[in-house]
C-alpha cells in the first residue's frame, strides 16, 4: 500500500520549469513562474507515490511565512508530519500540496493553485485577525532528495495580530522570532533548507521596500 494513500498532487514537467527560467536557490520572479506553470495543458495531477520518486516532474508547493511586527512565525516539525525527511527540523513555512479538491474548473488554472493555498493555511493554523498576502519569490533546491521533486512558491502573510495557533501536532512550539534570532547559529543550522532560503527572500523583499 502506498504511504500516501493514493493522494494526487499538482505537478509540472521539469522541462516546463526549465523553459520558464530555471534557477537554483531562490528567485524573485515567482509571478512569472506561476503564470508559466498554470498555463493550460502544463500542470497536471499525479500520484504522489510516483511524483516523490520522479525528478522529471516538480510538485508545486505554496510555502507561506507569517510575519507580525517584523518577526517571523517559527515552529518545529513534529513526528506526525507527512514528510519523514523533515522531522525535527525548524521551519518557517506553512503550506503543502495542491490536490484535485482545489480544482473547481474544467482545467487547472491559477485559481486552482490559490484555492490550495487558502485550504492549506486553514488546515494547518488558525489566525485570529486580518492579514494581507503577497508572493515574494520562489525556491528550488536540486541538491537533496526532497528539493529535487518540489518547487516552492513563497507567500508573505503580514498579520494584524500575533494570535496564531497550530491545528496539527506536526507543527509544534510556535513562536515569533526576529530575523536576527533566526540567523543565529543555534537556530539557523536547524532550519530546513527551504526555511533558510525563504528567510533570504524575506530579507531581500524587506530591503527592497
Amino acid at each position: 500500500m502506498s504511504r500516501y494513500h493514493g493522494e494526487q498532487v499538482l505537478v509540472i514537467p521539469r522541462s516546463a520549469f526549465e523553459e520558464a527560467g530555471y534557477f537554483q536557490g531562490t528567485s524573485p520572479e515567482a509571478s512569472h513562474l506561476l503564470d508559466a506553470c498554470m498555463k493550460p495543458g502544463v500542470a497536471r495531477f499525479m500520484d504522489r507515490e510516483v511524483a516523490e520518486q520522479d525528478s522529471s516532474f516538480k510538485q508545486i508547493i505554496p510555502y507561506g511565512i507569517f510575519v507580525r511586527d517584523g518577526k517571523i512565525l517559527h515552529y518545529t516539525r513534529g513526528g506526525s508530519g507527512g514528510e519523514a525527511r523533515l522531522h525535527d527540523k525548524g521551519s518557517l513555512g506553512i503550506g503543502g500540496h495542491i490536490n484535485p479538491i482545489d480544482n473547481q474548473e474544467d482545467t487547472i488554472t491559477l485559481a486552482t493553485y490559490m484555492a490550495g493555498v487558502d485550504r492549506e493555511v486553514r488546515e494547518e493554523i488558525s489566525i485570529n485577525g486580518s492579514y494581507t498576502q503577497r508572493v515574494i519569490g520562489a525556491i528550488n533546491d536540486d541538491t537533496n532528495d526532497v528539493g529535487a521533486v518540489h518547487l516552492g512558491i513563497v507567500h508573505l502573510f503580514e498579520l494584524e495580530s500575533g494570535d496564531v495557533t497550530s491545528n496539527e501536532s506536526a507543527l509544534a512550539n510556535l513562536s515569533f522570532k526576529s530575523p536576527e534570532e533566526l540567523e543565529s547559529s543555534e537556530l539557523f543550522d536547524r532550519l530546513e533548507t527551504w526555511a533558510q532560503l525563504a528567510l533570504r527572500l524575506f530579507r531581500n523583499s524587506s530591503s527592497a521596500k
Side-chain angles (χ1 to χ4, degrees):
M1 179 183 292
S2 166
R3 61 173 294 198
Y4 301 110
H5 307 288
E7 180 184 6
Q8 297 285 307
V9 297
L10 187 70
V11 302
I12 60 165
R14 177 178 285 269
S15 58
F17 170 42
E18 293 172 348
E19 289 172 12
Y22 177 88
F23 66 92
Q24 168 65 28
T26 63
S27 170
E29 302 298 327
S31 295
H32 164 74
L33 184 58
L34 267 178
D35 288 343
C37 292
M38 295 298 110
K39 286 194 301 187
V42 176
R44 58 183 261 200
F45 290 106
M46 175 184 286
D47 185 277
R48 185 175 173 185
E49 181 79 12
V50 176
E52 291 288 347
Q53 304 299 322
D54 189 349
S55 61
S56 67
F57 290 89
K58 284 281 192 179
Q59 300 167 58
I60 306 300
I61 307 292
Y63 193 87
I65 59 175
F66 295 76
V67 176
R68 163 68 172 164
D69 291 336
K71 293 188 174 184
I72 305 172
L73 186 66
H74 172 275
Y75 67 90
T76 303
R77 289 194 182 273
S80 64
E83 182 48 80
R85 292 168 290 190
L86 297 178
H87 289 172
D88 298 322
K89 288 282 193 178
S91 182
L92 310 178
I94 302 294
H97 294 84
I98 308 299
N99 305 125
I101 193 174
D102 303 313
N103 191 36
Q104 303 300 316
E105 304 179 21
D106 293 334
T107 59
I108 297 170
T109 67
L110 183 60
T112 306
Y113 171 82
M114 293 306 300
V117 174
D118 292 341
R119 175 184 55 78
E120 283 289 340
V121 170
R122 290 195 308 271
E123 287 178 355
E124 297 194 13
I125 59 175
S126 294
I127 302 171
N128 184 14
S130 62
Y131 57 83
T132 61
Q133 176 198 161
R134 60 190 173 96
V135 174
I136 61 171
I139 291 173
N140 181 61
D141 180 21
D142 283 330
T143 66
N144 61 75
D145 291 342
V146 179
V149 294
H150 295 89
L151 181 63
I153 306 297
V154 180
H155 296 249
L156 174 62
F157 291 77
E158 296 183 282
L159 309 180
E160 179 185 69
S161 165
D163 187 0
V164 180
T165 56
S166 170
N167 294 332
E168 299 185 356
S169 60
L171 279 65
N173 307 315
L174 272 65
S175 64
F176 284 89
K177 299 186 183 299
S178 69
E180 291 78 15
E181 289 177 283
L182 293 170
E183 289 166 347
S184 69
S185 58
E186 179 181 357
L187 287 179
F188 191 81
D189 292 345
R190 290 184 57 81
L191 288 177
E192 65 191 23
T193 303
W194 275 25
Q196 294 176 350
L197 296 173
L199 181 57
R200 179 193 303 171
L201 284 169
F202 173 73
R203 282 293 213 182
N204 291 341
S205 69
S206 298
S207 63
K209 285 185 177 181

